[in-house]
Amino acid sequence: MLDLPAAFDVIDYPILMKRLEFSFGIKEKALTWVKSYVADRTQYISVANKKSPDVGLLFGVPPGSVLGPTNCCMYTKPVGEIIKRYNIKYHCYTDDIQV
C-alpha cells in the first residue's frame, strides 16, 4: 500500500496544468477553466469569532470538490507509469495506491 499523506494539499498547480495539457490533451478553454478553478484560492483560521487574515494557497485542490480526486489521480499518473514499467499490477484511487 502506498498512502500519499495530504495528497490533495500538495498538488503543485503549474505541474498539474502541464500534466493536464500534455498527458491528457486538455487544452484551450477547458484548460483555462481548470486553471480558474484552482487559481486565486485563499484560506483563513477562525477561532472564537476572530478571523485570521486570508492567506493565498499555492498548492492543493479544493477539499470536498468533485474535481479534487480526478485532479489528484491525473497529478499522480507518473507513479502508475513507473509501476507499469516493472510489470507490477496496481490499483490507484486518489491518494491510495495498491501495488
Side-chain angles (χ1 to χ4, degrees), residues 6-49:
F8 288 81
D9 297 331
V10 297
I11 292 176
D12 181 278
Y13 299 145
I15 292 173
L16 175 62
M17 294 308 123
K18 286 179 185 174
R19 218 153 273 148
L20 293 175
E21 184 174 2
F22 297 112
S23 295
F24 295 96
I26 297 172
K27 298 182 186 218
E28 300 171 4
K29 288 184 181 182
L31 188 62
T32 301
W33 180 79
V34 175
K35 283 181 184 179
S36 72
Y37 180 71
V38 297
D40 299 323
R41 294 180 48 241
T42 61
Q43 72 180 17
Y44 65 88
I45 297 171
S46 178
V47 177
N49 293 326

Side-chain angles (χ1 to χ4, degrees), residues 21-89:
E21 184 174 2
F22 297 112
S23 295
F24 295 96
I26 297 172
K27 298 182 186 218
E28 300 171 4
K29 288 184 181 182
L31 188 62
T32 301
W33 180 79
V34 175
K35 283 181 184 179
S36 72
Y37 180 71
V38 297
D40 299 323
R41 294 180 48 241
T42 61
Q43 72 180 17
Y44 65 88
I45 297 171
S46 178
V47 177
N49 293 326
K50 294 185 180 182
K51 180 183 163 197
S52 71
D54 286 357
V55 175
L57 298 176
L58 303 175
F59 302 95
V61 292
S65 67
V66 174
L67 285 180
T70 302
N71 284 335
C72 192
C73 287
M74 294 170 133
Y75 185 78
T76 59
K77 182 179 187 251
V79 174
E81 292 171 350
I82 292 167
I83 294 169
K84 279 184 189 178
R85 284 187 208 149
Y86 294 95
N87 295 318
I88 298 172
K89 293 181 182 182

